Amino acid sequence: MKCFLCFQLLRSSGFMTWHPTSSTLSRVPIIRRQFFTTSLTTLSSQTSSRSILPPSSEAQRREEESKEMEISQLVGKHRKRQNRVYVWGFSYTGALGEASFVKPKLKKGKPVTSRRKYQTAPYLLNQDRKVITSVACGYGFTLLASNTLETTKVWGTGINTDSQLGYQPKSIQKDEGLEYILAPVPIDLPLTRPRSARVTQIACGRAHSLILTDTEGVFSLGNNVHGQCGRTVVEKENYSSNRVIHNVQGIDGKIKQIQCGHDHSLFLTEEGAVYSCGWGADGQLGLGHYESVDLPMRLEGDIKGERIVEIATFADCCLAVSDKGELFGWGNSEYNQLNSITDETQVYEPRHLPFTGVGKVVGAATGGTICQLVNDTGDVFVWGYGILGKGPKLSESKWPEHIPSILLGRTKLKPDVKVTQVHCGLHHFAAVTNEGDLYTWGSNGTGHLGLGTLANQFFPLRVSVAADVTSVACGVDHMVLLTKTVI
């Protein structure tokens, strides 16, 4: 009876409409999410006489965001689930792919919306019929890819000063020394058989990009000052409007994973071997020295003889997971990342990290000053320096600290919930569960946690999005989310 009354209330309020579908499906309700946001806000203001309205600019920002929140639609069993891409964070670089955030829409010569510097909640990106299957974030730019056999497989948006998004003379905007693109544009790959190759993975660094295909290897583009693109460094090479897209060579075996750091690249083969190239001043290449290398070389150290199944890097620290569930690390250790094995601030070859009590490691991630891992039971551990996720009193640790599972969705009523993916931005964390939920925490000065605020988050908090999360990419000041619609 209560459900029926609530249903009638929604219909009479105008916040539920009926959408006619095909004869094979019953008519389904569409509930506008802003109804709940508005109701909660109104209730809060009524119950608290001391509530203070936000400044007009903040109120305007929230109003504009609420108007653009997606409409959730329940559909029948014959409707296919669709891939959807959500973006949030700092917008002025163009990395969010929504041009109106930077250049407001005009009507009769006058702007109808204001510029939006920060998009603090998930924003549904217009994919223009593209089926996006992988996403990646760089320093102010974004890559989107599809595993299609069509000719166009990769798109880019955001900063393109070093041609990390390819040669795009018609799409470039210039402002204060930066070259950027405000909406996704195609990146043409020099494939020998484009109709037979699929893009399986993409990765972004500070100013370079990697693209992995299933039949033609890895392609690199962008800045190559330190050899991070896996090709010979050319003195005084001009990277602005650069046409070079390089097919990386010199790696034995088929590549299964690629990762970009600040100015270095990592490659993992199906046989479990790790290769690296690029800047090596912090030991991030893991080659036993601190020199830069412009052609991929194989790492040894403590991973010699081990079968590595996953690699992770973001800035200048690197982690690797073996098939035995053990963790290895190398590179920068100025912020406790590798202080469990040494007091040195740089480690130039892979070292085994003797962590106890963490179980069998199945995934790892590293940011600028932070690290995290997930084990085979879905428990998450964090260490390093920053907002680690266990409150404001814990800001540094050289040993893994367990994040209470209840903070990531596991309760007595839902004991089977576990984290399956972990990711890091420069100073923030992200974790995805087997139920398709995304949790974020850490620094949040540009709204890149997707929580609807600019405040830092000291504990994991679930991001509100009307879809099942399949993958997420973390940048310095923005994030991109890949989801499937809920049926």
Side-chain angles (χ1 to χ4, degrees):
M1 185 65 179
K2 291 181 180 179
C3 293
F4 176 76
L5 291 175
C6 292
F7 180 78
Q8 292 298 326
L9 176 61
L10 288 171
R11 291 191 63 188
S12 62
S13 301
F15 291 98
M16 175 175 284
T17 58
W18 288 97
H19 176 67
T21 59
S22 66
S23 59
T24 59
L25 301 177
S26 60
R27 292 193 293 177
V28 294
I30 299 176
I31 304 175
R32 298 185 182 276
R33 291 178 58 195
Q34 55 263 44
F35 169 76
F36 299 100
T37 304
T38 304
S39 299
L40 289 173
T41 304
T42 304
L43 179 61
S44 176
S45 62
Q46 290 174 349
T47 56
S48 175
S49 59
R50 294 180 298 174
S51 60
I52 301 174
L53 291 175
S56 59
S57 59
E58 179 70 5
Q60 184 180 9
R61 179 184 66 79
R62 290 182 179 179
E63 182 181 357
E64 288 183 359
E65 286 189 5
S66 67
K67 288 180 180 179
E68 295 171 347
M69 293 182 75
E70 77 279 4
I71 296 174
S72 303
Q73 180 175 347
L74 303 179
V75 297
K77 64 181 181 180
H78 299 295
R79 182 74 174 266
K80 290 184 179 180
R81 303 182 73 186
Q82 303 293 320
N83 285 14
R84 293 288 184 267
V85 176
Y86 292 83
V87 296
W88 60 86
F90 185 69
S91 72
Y92 281 4
T93 60
L96 302 189
E98 177 52 64
S100 65
F101 289 172
V102 184
K103 291 190 174 183
K105 296 177 182 178
L106 301 177
K107 186 176 182 179
K108 296 182 179 180
K110 296 182 179 180
V112 294
T113 59
S114 59
R115 296 185 75 193
R116 188 177 306 174
K117 188 175 184 179
Y118 306 118
Q119 172 65 30
T120 62
Y123 178 88
L124 181 60
L125 185 65
N126 180 11
Q127 297 175 224
D128 193 26
R129 298 184 181 180
K130 298 186 287 288
V131 181
I132 302 301
T133 54
S134 53
V135 293
C137 293
Y139 277 49
F141 67 99
T142 299
L143 284 184
L144 309 169
S146 173
N147 61 4
T148 179
L149 290 177
E150 297 294 327
T151 303
T152 302
K153 308 173 190 293
V154 185
W155 297 262
T157 183
I159 293 176
N160 197 37
T161 304
D162 292 274
S163 301
Q164 56 265 55
L165 302 178
Y167 180 65
Q168 308 287 354
K170 295 182 180 180
S171 304
I172 286 291
Q173 307 281 330
K174 295 186 179 182
D175 184 23
E176 297 181 358
L178 286 180
E179 298 180 0
Y180 55 90
I181 299 167
L182 297 182
V185 294
I187 299 175
D188 296 325
L189 300 177
L191 297 165
T192 56
R193 300 185 65 185
R195 294 285 185 177
S196 300
R198 298 182 188 272
V199 171
T200 58
Q201 194 179 144
I202 48 181
C204 301
R206 175 155 43 192
H208 76 292
S209 304
L210 296 178
I211 301 168
L212 175 63
T213 67
D214 59 350
T215 59
E216 300 195 27
V218 177
F219 292 87
S220 64
L221 58 162
N223 192 290
N224 190 52
V225 168
H226 305 286
Q228 59 265 46
C229 286
R231 62 183 177 89
T232 302
V233 175
V234 177
E235 292 295 329
K236 298 181 180 181
E237 182 174 4
N238 181 13
Y239 295 105
S240 177
S241 299
N242 194 306
R243 297 174 183 266
V244 177
I245 298 181
H246 176 67
N247 190 200
V248 178
Q249 302 294 320
I251 297 175
D252 294 331
K254 187 174 182 179
I255 299 170
K256 64 173 284 188
Q257 187 188 359
I258 51 175
Q259 287 280 288
C260 290
H262 271 330
D263 300 302
H264 70 282
S265 301
L266 299 179
F267 310 87
L268 174 64
T269 70
E270 291 184 343
E271 291 74 26
V274 181
Y275 289 75
S276 67
C277 62
W279 192 38
D282 276 319
Q284 60 267 55
L285 297 187
L287 299 173
H289 56 72
Y290 297 108
E291 303 298 322
S292 295
V293 171
D294 58 10
L295 298 176
M297 297 186 67
R298 183 170 179 171
L299 282 67
E300 293 189 346
D302 287 352
I303 65 171
K304 185 176 183 179
E306 299 283 344
R307 188 173 186 275
I308 302 302
V309 295
E310 183 177 308
I311 51 176
T313 190
F314 184 91
D316 297 316
C317 180
C318 308
L319 298 174
V321 180
S322 74
D323 60 350
K324 300 173 185 175
E326 296 180 331
L327 192 64
F328 301 82
W330 65 95
N332 185 278
S333 186
E334 295 179 81
Y335 304 97
N336 299 312
Q337 301 103 307
L338 307 175
N339 284 165
S340 60
I341 55 171
T342 180
D343 290 331
E344 298 293 328
T345 56
Q346 285 89 24
V347 178
Y348 62 37
E349 63 181 357
R351 296 282 302 276
H352 178 247
L353 303 182
F355 295 152
T356 58
V358 300
K360 182 179 180 180
V361 180
V362 296
T366 178
T369 62
I370 54 177
C371 300
Q372 70 172 327
L373 65 84
V374 60
N375 63 21
D376 58 351
T377 60
D379 290 303
V380 173
F381 296 80
V382 297
W383 71 100
Y385 176 80
I387 299 175
L388 298 182
K390 296 187 71 173
K393 293 184 179 180
L394 179 65
S395 61
E396 59 179 311
S397 176
K398 67 179 180 180
W399 298 102
E401 292 278 347
H402 180 240
I403 299 293
S405 299
I406 192 172
L407 297 178
L408 295 165
R410 186 187 301 168
T411 65
K412 289 183 178 180
L413 296 177
K414 302 179 73 175
D416 297 326
V417 173
K418 63 179 184 178
V419 171
T420 56
Q421 300 176 39
V422 289
H423 305 269
C424 287
L426 194 64
H427 301 297
H428 68 282
F429 297 87
V432 180
T433 72
N434 58 336
E435 292 205 337
D437 289 327
L438 170 67
Y439 292 82
T440 60
W441 65 99
S443 66
N444 191 36
T446 59
H448 50 266
L449 295 184
L451 301 174
T453 177
L454 297 176
N456 293 337
Q457 180 61 35
F458 290 92
F459 297 96
L461 194 61
R462 187 171 66 87
V463 176
S464 179
V465 59
D468 285 337
V469 177
T470 58
S471 182
V472 62
C474 298
V476 175
D477 51 20
H478 77 291
M479 289 181 65
V480 180
L481 189 65
L482 186 60
T483 70
K484 281 192 176 295
T485 52
V486 179
I487 294 183

